[in-house]
Amino acid sequence: ALPICKYTYSDKERLTMQSNDLEKILSSKKNGIILSASAGYGKTLMGIKWIIKNRTKSYWVVPRNVIATSTYESIKEEITKMNSPMTVGLLLTGEFKHGNENSDIIVTNIDNFLSYGIKNSMSINMSKIMSTNVIFDEFHEFFCGQPLFSAFIDFINIRLCFTKDNTKTLMMSATPLSYEGLLYNEYIDKIKAHPFNGDMKVNMKYIKLNDIA
């Protein structure tokens, strides 16, 4: 179990908004949460609070290596501000650049994370991706036209359906998209955070793929 820690921040207005939105997340009875929050809102801090409240080791998954490195640094900075004893690991290209598999938070990219399930040499560890809490950061990038990434939808739906009694999934993004018809909505609560740097509107279209070949 992870320790409870005390911390203070000077931006009380944003902290109040974050606390209100975090309360919505933590009071959810569903094992999947989609958090839409504008850039600069503090999604990293929200994710850390979510992990602390759940008091369990978690993976923090991002789209690319460069994002993983910057996210690792941001998490380290936040937990230092909190004076928290939590440990953070960075897993890239199949090895730990910082920390180890016992770290409280393991930051990695989607390729490293899913390799547990698709590489024979690592499949013995597949339970790690199905039996642990996971944050998918900027997860809208996983919903793209490339066939392998389209399989991410099936992966999330499997997590939502078959691990709902013992794992939680938090998906965070600054890009407001509609996922109707893609994810099993009965297992998901969608929370739109208070606009911090103004609301954002985007135009998106989906391409339906018949297979991932």
Side-chain angles (χ1 to χ4, degrees):
L2 299 184
I4 297 293
C5 54
K6 297 181 180 180
Y7 50 91
T8 58
Y9 283 88
S10 58
D11 190 346
K12 293 185 179 180
E13 181 181 358
R14 181 169 56 165
L15 187 60
T16 298
M17 292 190 296
Q18 290 171 336
S19 296
N20 291 337
D21 292 330
L22 186 64
E23 183 61 32
K24 296 176 186 178
I25 293 173
L26 297 178
S27 62
S28 172
K29 302 300 182 183
K30 299 182 180 180
N31 66 317
I33 299 289
I34 291 178
L35 171 63
S36 298
S38 60
Y41 180 76
K43 293 187 295 297
T44 299
L45 179 59
M46 295 283 285
I48 294 172
K49 289 181 178 180
W50 180 80
I51 292 173
I52 291 173
K53 289 293 185 179
N54 286 315
R55 296 179 66 81
T56 184
K57 173 181 174 179
S58 302
Y59 278 83
W60 196 303
V61 183
V62 299
R64 299 181 300 279
N65 280 5
V66 63
I67 297 179
T69 300
S70 62
T71 299
Y72 167 81
E73 296 295 342
S74 295
I75 294 173
K76 289 281 289 184
E77 181 180 353
E78 292 289 359
I79 65 174
T80 297
K81 291 179 182 177
M82 295 178 180
N83 194 28
S84 168
M86 283 196 302
T87 56
V88 186
L90 178 62
L91 174 62
L92 296 177
T93 61
E95 63 180 8
F96 280 92
K97 307 300 183 182
H98 301 283
N100 54 51
E101 63 181 10
N102 297 317
S103 300
D104 298 319
I105 302 173
I106 296 178
V107 182
T108 189
N109 65 14
I110 189 66
D111 294 332
N112 276 266
F113 184 70
L114 293 182
S115 64
Y116 286 125
I118 62 176
K119 290 185 178 180
N120 290 336
S121 61
M122 301 180 71
S123 60
I124 192 172
N125 296 316
M126 188 174 179
S127 62
K128 291 181 179 180
I129 70 173
M130 299 305 294
S131 62
T132 189
N133 289 355
V134 182
I135 292 177
F136 292 101
D137 201 351
E138 300 298 343
F139 80 102
H140 64 274
E141 293 196 26
F142 305 142
F143 287 79
C144 64
Q146 298 175 12
L148 287 179
F149 277 126
S150 69
F152 178 75
I153 297 170
D154 290 333
F155 169 73
I156 288 295
N157 285 329
I158 290 172
R159 273 187 62 90
L160 294 175
C161 289
F162 297 105
T163 67
K164 60 181 181 294
D165 294 329
N166 54 15
T167 65
K168 297 180 183 296
T169 303
L170 174 61
M171 294 173 275
M172 305 191 298
S173 175
T175 302
L177 301 178
S178 172
Y179 304 102
E180 297 299 330
L182 295 176
L183 300 176
Y184 294 156
N185 291 326
E186 63 267 31
Y187 299 114
I188 297 174
D189 270 338
K190 300 176 182 178
I191 297 172
K192 185 175 182 180
H194 294 76
F196 179 65
N197 286 331
D199 209 351
M200 183 192 310
K201 299 186 186 313
V202 295
N203 293 319
M204 300 291 295
K205 69 176 182 178
Y206 293 106
I207 300 174
K208 187 174 181 60
L209 302 176
N210 294 324
D211 57 55
I212 64 172

